[in-house]
Amino acid sequence: MNDNTKRYGGTRVGAWVVEADSIDLSALLRSAWRGKFIILLSTLAALSLGWYYANNVATPKYRSTAVVMLNTREEQVVDLGNVMGGLGSDRPVVNTEVELLKSRNLLGKVVDELHLVSDPEFNGVLRPPSQIDLIKGQVIEWITGRSPASAAPPSPGVQRDITIDALLRSLTVANLPDSLVFKVTIETTAATKSAEIANALVELHILNQLEVKFEATEQATTWLTERVTGLQIALEEAEEKVNDFRASSSLISPEALRNLEVQLNDLRERITNTQGTLNATESLLADMREAQTPAEKAAVSKDMQLQRLLLRIDTPSATEAFDLRFEEVLSRSETEVTRMRGQLETLRNSRSVLETQIEQQSQDLITLQQLSREAEASRLLYEYFLARLKETSAQKGVQQADSRVISSAVVPREASAPRKSLIQGFAGIIGFALGIAIVLVREMNSRTFRRAEEIESMTDTNVIGQIPNIPARRRQDALAYIKKRPASAVAEAVRNLRTSIMLSNVDNPPKVIMICSSLPGEGKTTVAFSLALNFSSMGKKVLLVEGDIRRLVFRQYLKSDQKHGIVSILSGNKTIDEVIIKDEFLGSDVLLGDKGGSNAADIFSSERFGRLISDLREQYDVILIDTPPVLIVPDARVICQHVDSTVFVVRWDVTDRNQVISALREFESVGHEVSGIALNQINPKGMAKYGYGNGYGPYSNYSSEYYVN
């Protein structure tokens, strides 16, 4: 960033200086106050448009509301379990109820019930095309080459969907906080229609709940009937199998089977005992057969009679009797063995038969028990489903809806929309905001200066004078006004400027003073004449030089026939005394400008111009040079090399700040800084309008106490 950028830099938005991310709120308020008429007009225009829209454009809408309560209490006529139970009261249930009330299926039933497809308000196909639609159609026809009017109308199904969409947009379902109450609101262009649709919607919703429950009960009844019929057939088949099995088998009871098992155990015990006895008998028989002597035979047989005969064994009769008795005992033992063997075989055969019988009976009993259990299970299932079928059949007439109407919709007396007061309020707010925006945008786009502080902050150059606008149409009248009213605010402002110029260098007050501006029309020539008039009134010998030899405007202020001027002097055709005129009105000498053959910048760059200024310094106390605009021609930058002070004139609220900054940079480029800036043609009323009229010199609100205009 160069020095000039630093000097003339800064961030400014309109009249608001932004520093460190801060905005001057007072400046914003002053800007809004300055544009109060624009804001007022914008607000009034918006209010008028809002009133016109609310009373002539907007279509009246009527809103009707039906109130529905979600019934979570299960009131049953009979103490039976419901096929479809009651609802809960938690948030998901409430949200579900809201969505059910807004469901397309339910709205479709309302559309069909009230024949809303034939209503142009809901079926946009039936409405005549608006002007905007016609324009859109024309544009589409230009682009595609096909006319929308020639397209086939939508099918009845599509029109029904369009109607449902429109009805959904007009529907509002709201759940009251912390309750199970729902407000169903319909808004249409007809009061009666709104009430009819709202009531039809809630009634169809409740009827739909009953239909759903009835269908569920009907489906359950049908299913249970089919199941009971099937279970009855299965039960009959199972019982028939049990009976057939009983008839086809010699089945005994479980108690008889247990008796057979007891008999088998007894038989087994008898076999065991018989076997033991047989073994003992066979052992005895073998021992008897092996015995040789009478003593051994008597001991083995353990027969008492043999033992008695053994005592008389020595006699022949005893021996014969002993042998006969032993043979008898031996024969009896053999017979006993044979008998016992036959008995044991019989017992074993009986055991085998009994075991076979028991095994068969056990298998039959198991089969019977299995068939009986299957039959019993079928009976229990059949009885259960039969009971549920009876309960479900009993519920057909006692089903209740999950919702009930607690307040039917009534025909509204007044339109709910448009809300004229609300529209007016919004229109006023929008108009006010638009007015503020216009004012602020205008302020942000402002490129001029209105205060000395703005100039000084932007240019880093002091403002040494602030001159109000002179109430005169012609330039001669402006000078006459200042001279005739020496106590006026304008005259005092010129004095302040003169004082600031002379005090700019107390030790060496400036003698040659140049007055310039960035562009024409900023009043620099009038300022130069005013300073000449003021200096001469102090008794100073003053020379006013017309440095703008391209335009030659001095003759508009003076009544003089002098045709020669500064160019004639520099060319040597005339002397100073021959060219300078004495103006009695100003009380000072005037050196007019005249046309020359050379370029003006070249003329002022010559040594003769420098010598001329040096000669004039010896003759006059103050020399005022009015120069051309800085940004138009380079003359001022050349002339400034020979002056002691440069006064740069800026027109109030007219001169663009970039032009001012560019002009000041032109002077800096030649190593000459402006001594000060004069803010010219200030409008006192405008300053008060901008909020600057309470303490700024000659245009203060208190000026009437000091100045006489």
Side-chain angles (χ1 to χ4, degrees), residues 483-501:
K483 188 169 184 178
K484 291 180 181 179
R485 293 175 174 81
S488 65
V490 178
E492 188 62 34
V494 175
R495 292 190 194 96
N496 289 335
L497 176 60
R498 178 208 68 198
T499 303
S500 299
I501 294 172

Side-chain angles (χ1 to χ4, degrees), residues 39-55 420-432:
I39 297 173
L40 180 61
L41 289 175
S42 176
T43 304
L44 291 177
L47 288 173
S48 300
L49 290 175
W51 181 88
Y52 179 78
Y53 173 80
N55 291 275
K420 297 181 180 180
S421 59
L422 185 61
I423 292 176
Q424 289 289 87
F426 273 115
I429 293 173
I430 293 173
F432 182 80

